[in-house]
Amino acid sequence: MKNSLLLFCSLITLSAISQSLQRGPYLQSMTNNSVKIMWRTSDSTTAIVKYGTSPTTLTNTITDNTLTKNHIVQVNGLQAKTKYYYSVGYNTTVLAGENDQHHFITAPNPGDSSEFKFWVTGDFGGGNGGQIKVRRWFENYLQGNNVTGWLWLGDNAYNDGTDAQYQAKVFDTYYGYDSIFRFLPFYPIPGNHDYNSVNGADDPNAHKGPYYDMVEVFKNAEMGGIPSGMEAYYSYDYGNTHFLALNSELYRVFVLWDLHASAIAFKNWLINDLKSSDKKFIVAYWHQPPYSKGSHDSDDFWEVFMGSMRDKVIPILEQYGVDLILCGHSHVYERSYLINKHYGLSHTFNRSTMLIDSTSGNPDSNRTYLKYTYGANKDKGTVYGVIGNSGKSEPENGKMHPAMYKKYAADGGVGSMILEVKGNQMTCFYYKENGELYDKFRILKQDSTAIISGI
């Protein structure tokens, strides 16, 4: 009996010693009063999260006694726009945390007009040097800037979005973003490469796979908007901005538009969600862009999903005044003028009727894009961005879509965007991997007929 007890204790001790953190911790579903903290362990354990407003005083504890490798612990009862520190572990073992790096800042209350910044990356999970350069630039940027969210534009893990590829190219400490995940919540959408491990021909309610296993998003409108009831697409509010996280990989939706129940459900959800929003700005993002002349050409007949987003979804978004649309897929950077009602191939772009503002939109040159909240031009005009080179790149091919103001394509040329919202101004900055500010534009919402100066 004594020998059996010693053997049991030895096995318990050995398990504790060999237990290790495999993934994370990382942050999902950040709201103004809650967050989900997720991580993976090498063996099944229980889970403990400790948190507080000082890294050395984690006075609050949440325990989950479920034995699992993939842990999800929701922390509730938090204060808006507040910095919290945390640790994760099991029993008396701390696997990560109790330091300055493991923290998060809760979202502002819906409607709050104070400044916030998001990092925007697309096609970033290639497990290559370009990906590392962009991450290192962002780490340097953080030394003097406060960023509270991260938008993923799809093709997050190459080539097939498998669990192993996410582990090696996204969560890894060398190629991946382990140092970023500790404090920056991300708001993801999938791309076609992620969907190589998901059956996109199924009804969106049935979409499963490594991407869906690793995310926890706002399917029940936990942060504003209308519930989608699924993780395939969703919406949320952050301060005075409404975000639509859409999905360009939904075969049944876009090929069977107005025919299949899932397509009708998506269309109705989209319209109702847009109708319900009263926020100053609306930003939509998904993977496959409606306009591009990069590594993918939106004019090519086989680019079915690019065309579907352009002729089916864009008219709805523009009808309800969407200000900014961000995509990836094409491994370049492209950015449009302020445009409206272009739903066809590139040769149908009519500058006299579809170009709302032919300038750069750069406030440094007094060229801010104005959008009006009143009158005949109410909510007219949208800017489109392609940020598909945050890890992948393509050399310049000599092509330029007529809707685009600027393009950055180069062999080894990678970069990412900072989205900044402050009051009635939305400003976007695109930085190359070497820190060069390559593009800047601003959208300003004019709420009265008074003359605005200094924009």
Side-chain angles (χ1 to χ4, degrees):
M1 180 66 180
K2 183 177 179 180
N3 289 337
S4 297
L5 181 60
L6 287 173
L7 177 61
F8 176 76
C9 292
S10 298
L11 290 173
I12 294 296
T13 302
L14 180 62
S15 175
I17 293 173
S18 63
Q19 183 63 251
S20 63
L21 188 66
Q22 298 291 298
R23 175 180 293 185
Y26 61 99
L27 308 166
Q28 287 283 269
S29 295
M30 179 68 71
T31 78
N32 55 331
N33 56 29
S34 67
V35 66
K36 293 181 180 179
I37 302 177
M38 302 176 65
W39 70 97
R40 176 183 289 179
T41 48
S42 55
D43 294 303
S44 295
T45 69
T46 57
I48 292 179
V49 168
K50 295 183 179 181
Y51 65 97
T53 55
S54 166
T56 58
T57 313
L58 304 180
T59 55
N60 304 284
T61 301
I62 301 174
T63 301
D64 184 349
N65 291 317
T66 304
L67 286 171
T68 183
K69 294 181 180 180
N70 294 305
H71 305 274
I72 307 173
V73 175
Q74 180 162 328
V75 182
N76 296 311
L78 305 174
Q79 298 297 312
K81 292 172 61 175
T82 301
K83 188 173 186 178
Y84 291 90
Y85 300 85
Y86 70 94
S87 69
V88 301
Y90 64 98
N91 297 336
T92 59
T93 300
V94 175
L95 294 171
E98 295 186 345
N99 55 45
D100 289 338
Q101 297 176 5
H102 291 82
H103 68 265
F104 57 84
I105 299 175
T106 47
N109 290 319
D112 187 327
S113 61
S114 58
E115 178 182 357
F116 70 85
K117 293 180 181 180
F118 278 7
W119 187 34
V120 185
T121 60
D123 301 69
F124 55 82
N128 56 32
Q131 173 183 348
I132 294 174
K133 289 179 181 178
V134 173
R135 187 198 70 215
R136 287 177 176 169
W137 167 82
F138 182 63
E139 290 171 337
N140 288 331
Y141 180 83
L142 288 171
Q143 300 307 306
N145 296 275
N146 185 30
V147 180
T148 54
W150 180 9
L151 302 185
W152 288 16
L153 301 182
D155 280 3
N156 312 309
Y158 283 89
N159 285 325
D160 301 307
T162 65
D163 184 80
Q165 288 165 356
Y166 266 104
Q167 189 65 32
K169 300 177 181 181
V170 178
F171 289 100
D172 180 65
T173 57
Y174 180 72
Y175 284 116
Y177 306 90
D178 177 69
S179 61
I180 307 297
F181 283 132
R182 301 171 186 178
F183 64 88
L184 193 65
F186 61 93
Y187 305 87
I189 52 94
N192 56 293
H193 280 276
D194 304 298
Y195 258 71
N196 285 342
S197 298
V198 177
N199 187 357
D202 283 342
D203 187 291
N205 285 286
H207 286 189
K208 297 178 181 178
Y211 166 82
Y212 289 103
D213 291 340
M214 59 162 280
V215 304
E216 287 283 319
V217 298
F218 300 123
K219 65 180 181 180
N220 296 315
E222 295 91 340
M223 194 59 177
I226 299 295
S228 68
M230 64 185 80
E231 292 183 324
Y233 53 85
Y234 60 101
S235 66
Y236 56 97
D237 294 327
Y238 197 97
N240 67 346
T241 303
H242 185 61
F243 287 90
L244 289 155
L246 304 183
N247 189 333
S248 58
E249 316 308 311
L250 305 178
Y251 178 86
R252 290 196 183 192
V253 169
F254 301 120
V255 175
L256 301 174
W257 191 258
D258 285 335
L259 297 176
H260 195 272
S262 62
I264 296 171
F266 170 80
K267 182 178 179 180
N268 289 338
W269 170 82
L270 182 61
I271 292 172
N272 291 330
D273 186 84
L274 288 164
K275 282 182 176 179
S276 72
S277 179
D278 60 355
K279 298 301 174 284
K280 180 70 70 177
F281 290 102
I282 302 177
V283 176
Y285 61 102
W286 61 86
H287 183 60
Q288 300 202 32
Y291 320 111
S292 180
K293 290 289 183 180
S295 61
H296 293 270
D297 191 324
S298 53
D299 285 348
D300 289 337
F301 72 89
W302 57 82
E303 298 287 5
V304 175
F305 295 113
M306 296 175 78
S308 294
M309 297 305 290
R310 183 177 61 245
D311 61 35
K312 294 179 174 66
V313 177
I314 293 298
I316 297 173
L317 297 177
E318 288 189 345
Q319 178 184 353
Y320 292 98
V322 169
D323 303 294
L324 178 66
I325 290 174
L326 302 172
C327 300
H329 192 53
S330 207
H331 298 158
V332 298
Y333 172 73
E334 296 168 292
R335 194 264 292 177
S336 78
Y337 300 95
L338 187 69
I339 66 172
N340 191 54
K341 294 187 176 181
H342 176 49
Y343 313 132
L345 300 179
S346 61
H347 73 270
T348 68
F349 185 77
N350 187 328
R351 291 181 64 91
S352 64
T353 61
M354 300 174 183
L355 197 59
I356 305 301
D357 191 324
S358 62
T359 70
S360 66
N362 191 334
D364 296 341
S365 304
N366 294 319
R367 293 291 187 244
T368 295
Y369 293 139
L370 288 179
K371 289 193 66 175
Y372 300 90
T373 59
Y374 61 91
N377 291 322
K378 182 179 184 294
D379 291 330
K380 192 174 182 180
T382 306
V383 177
Y384 295 79
V386 178
I387 305 96
N389 64 346
S390 299
K392 294 284 187 174
S393 65
E394 297 290 335
E396 176 57 59
N397 58 16
K399 298 179 181 180
M400 188 77 168
H401 195 288
M404 294 297 172
Y405 166 74
K406 208 160 191 179
K407 178 184 177 185
Y408 172 49
D411 190 12
V414 290
S416 59
M417 175 179 280
I418 297 295
L419 167 64
E420 175 189 279
V421 179
K422 184 179 182 180
N424 65 344
Q425 299 181 12
M426 173 179 286
T427 310
C428 293
F429 309 80
Y430 177 84
Y431 290 92
K432 293 183 179 181
E433 75 286 349
N434 62 5
E436 175 190 344
L437 176 60
Y438 179 75
D439 190 24
K440 178 181 179 180
F441 65 93
R442 176 173 294 162
I443 300 171
L444 185 143
K445 286 293 184 74
Q446 185 163 333
D447 296 324
S448 72
T449 56
I451 296 175
I452 298 177
S453 61
I455 58 173

